Amino acid sequence: MPFTRTPTERDRRGDLLLAGVLFVGAILSAALSSIAQVYGDEQAPLWTALLYAVVVSGPLAFRRRWPGTVAVVVSVAYFAAVTIRVPEIYVGNIAMFIGLYTVGAWMNDRRRALIVRVAIIVGMFVWLLLTMYRDAISEADKAEVVAGAMSPYVAFMLIQILLNGLYFGGAYYFGERSWAAAEQRSVLEQRTTELEREREVTAAQAVALDRVRIARELHDVVAHHVSVMGVQAGAARLVLAQDPARAAEILSGVEGSARDAIHELRQLLETLRTPGGETADGASTLGLDDIAELAEASTAAGLPTAYTVVGTPTAVPSVVAVNLYRIAQESLTNARRHAGPGATADVRVRYDDDGVEVEVVNTGRAIAQLRPGLGQLGMRERATASGGTLEVAPRPSGGLRVRARVPFAPVAAGASR
């Protein structure tokens, strides 16, 4: 969309004030010029100066609304006043300069703005040449005119040409500069508006991502520990009558799971409340090595789980380690909930030259079709956030296979494992 300028209410009030000031100035200038006899015996009556003051200053009250028309009216009035020797020169010059400047600064049709200004400038020089020719003829009989190429009269005319060139050139240049500055300011304002809109969208996206992250963390923590506590409580109820000691041991495990859940929830809440997301315990202490304890806890909860590390362990970023740990945790939780009695699980952590992989395989009930849920969604989001992939597929012999793979690059020593 092409750039356009529209005067505001404040601009219009400013134009009205300018017209009033120039009108008062024109009256004073006309009175003083008449007393000074600037045109000698050829000076027009004083009442023509009053009429000229109105014509040359009044249109300026509308200069930003109709810049082309105002510039033409003021220029014609000025040329006519000089031709008939109206006793006022200075305010008329100022008014014509403002008119030409306004055409360049405020006229939205740039082609018409160019035509109007060129027409006025060409008309001025034509009028000036004709005036010089007429005066040269009338002064031809004077000795100082014919004395040489650089007589006082010729020098005076050259000064007039130079001053008029600077006068009109300045009006043209400053008008163009004002238009260009306003156009640049409009572009900056538009970009600022777009950036503000993008900032709002980004902020909304950040809030949405935070909500997803919080929901994922809560699901992982609560689902895992509640599942373990449920299995342990059920086992304690079954053996309570026959083996109270065993039931008490199992219930102590429930208490431990509850403490672990409370600890992780507290850590999550501290992370959310602390500016920058940092806590006194650090962002996370979980790593790939902790999957071994996860497998032991799964075995203690009633799902025999084997743990194997394949390849040479390599340092990985802490975020990747936490995400892979949570994927393994969610996979084991799902196995305990859905695999059925007698199921087993196998957890493998594989390192190779290209990346790290965590695979959780469990036996149990045959699954005809996977049902999407928050657990699978959270695992996929974690794998994607780490730049990896996730595969979840039923096994033909029963149970489920979950495989998460994340490519990695060597990192500095001391990275989380």
Side-chain angles (χ1 to χ4, degrees):
M1 184 177 179
F3 169 69
T4 58
R5 297 188 76 179
T6 303
T8 63
E9 222 26 69
R10 181 179 179 181
D11 293 332
R12 295 177 181 180
R13 288 196 300 270
D15 292 343
L16 187 61
L17 178 62
L18 175 65
V21 170
L22 287 183
F23 175 74
V24 174
I27 295 297
L28 294 175
S29 175
L32 295 175
S33 297
S34 178
I35 295 173
Q37 293 289 314
V38 292
Y39 288 119
D41 296 337
E42 298 179 356
Q43 181 171 289
L46 187 59
W47 65 267
T48 59
L50 178 61
L51 178 62
Y52 174 62
V54 174
V55 175
V56 82
S57 62
L60 294 179
F62 311 96
R63 69 186 183 96
R64 292 187 231 222
R65 278 181 274 187
W66 305 299
T69 303
V70 170
V72 171
V73 170
V74 171
S75 299
V76 171
Y78 175 79
F79 289 149
V82 175
T83 301
I84 65 176
R85 302 296 193 265
V86 173
E88 203 297 301
I89 301 174
Y90 306 105
V91 174
N93 270 290
I94 296 172
M96 188 164 64
F97 184 94
I98 294 174
L100 283 174
Y101 162 82
T102 305
V103 171
W106 283 88
M107 197 164 185
N108 292 322
D109 188 337
R110 303 310 295 170
R111 186 169 180 271
R112 286 186 59 192
L114 175 64
I115 292 174
V116 169
R117 287 177 293 175
V118 169
I120 292 174
I121 294 172
V122 170
M124 183 278 301
F125 275 103
V126 169
W127 171 81
L128 183 61
L129 291 175
L130 291 176
T131 301
M132 290 172 61
Y133 177 77
R134 183 193 64 186
D135 292 345
I137 294 299
S138 64
E139 298 289 334
D141 57 340
K142 293 183 179 181
E144 60 266 21
V145 174
V146 299
M150 291 304 294
S151 65
Y153 176 75
V154 173
F156 177 76
M157 289 297 103
L158 290 177
I159 290 175
Q160 293 298 312
I161 293 175
L162 177 61
L163 290 177
N164 278 277
L166 294 174
Y167 172 89
F168 286 101
Y172 192 101
Y173 171 78
F174 288 115
E176 285 295 312
R177 290 295 302 165
S178 177
W179 175 270
E183 188 174 21
Q184 291 176 358
R185 187 165 55 251
S186 175
V187 171
L188 289 176
E189 291 174 354
Q190 183 178 359
R191 290 179 179 174
T192 301
T193 302
E194 293 175 354
L195 289 174
E196 182 66 21
R197 189 160 46 244
E198 291 178 2
R199 188 191 66 79
E200 293 176 357
V201 172
T202 302
Q205 290 175 343
V207 170
L209 289 174
D210 278 344
R211 293 180 63 182
V212 170
R213 181 175 62 87
I214 294 169
R216 185 170 60 234
E217 293 290 342
L218 286 174
H219 175 272
D220 290 345
V221 173
V222 174
H224 169 70
H225 291 290
V226 170
S227 174
V228 171
M229 287 187 289
V231 172
Q232 291 172 330
R237 181 175 57 85
L238 291 176
V239 302
L240 181 59
Q242 293 84 9
D243 191 352
R246 175 59 178 163
E249 182 182 351
I250 294 175
L251 288 176
S252 67
V254 174
E255 183 181 356
S257 297
R259 283 197 300 267
D260 291 341
I262 292 173
H263 173 74
E264 291 197 35
L265 286 172
R266 180 180 297 171
Q267 188 178 34
L268 175 60
L269 290 175
E270 289 178 356
T271 301
L272 295 175
R273 289 175 177 174
T274 304
E278 296 295 334
T279 67
D281 297 332
S284 177
T285 57
L286 297 174
L288 294 181
D289 291 341
D290 296 307
I291 297 179
E293 297 180 6
L294 193 62
E296 294 176 1
S298 179
T299 300
L303 177 67
T305 303
Y307 173 73
T308 308
V309 176
V310 180
T312 302
T314 304
V316 298
S318 60
V319 174
V320 174
V322 170
N323 285 335
L324 291 177
Y325 175 91
R326 292 299 188 190
I327 290 172
Q329 183 184 59
E330 177 65 20
S331 301
L332 292 175
T333 299
N334 289 337
R336 284 194 300 271
R337 295 171 59 187
H338 305 297
T344 61
D346 187 7
V347 179
R348 296 184 181 91
V349 180
R350 298 188 182 92
Y351 297 91
D352 56 36
D353 294 337
D354 299 321
V356 60
E357 179 179 287
V358 172
E359 182 183 51
V360 180
V361 179
N362 66 273
T363 61
R365 296 190 184 100
I367 301 176
Q369 184 177 3
L370 287 175
R371 290 181 299 176
L374 293 178
Q376 291 184 43
L377 178 61
M379 288 192 295
R380 292 192 185 279
E381 288 175 348
R382 287 186 180 279
T384 302
S386 299
T389 57
L390 179 76
E391 299 176 16
V392 181
R395 300 174 67 236
S397 57
L400 199 67
R401 172 183 285 107
V402 177
R403 180 186 292 119
R405 180 173 180 81
V406 177
F408 66 87
V411 296
S416 177
R417 287 182 51 192

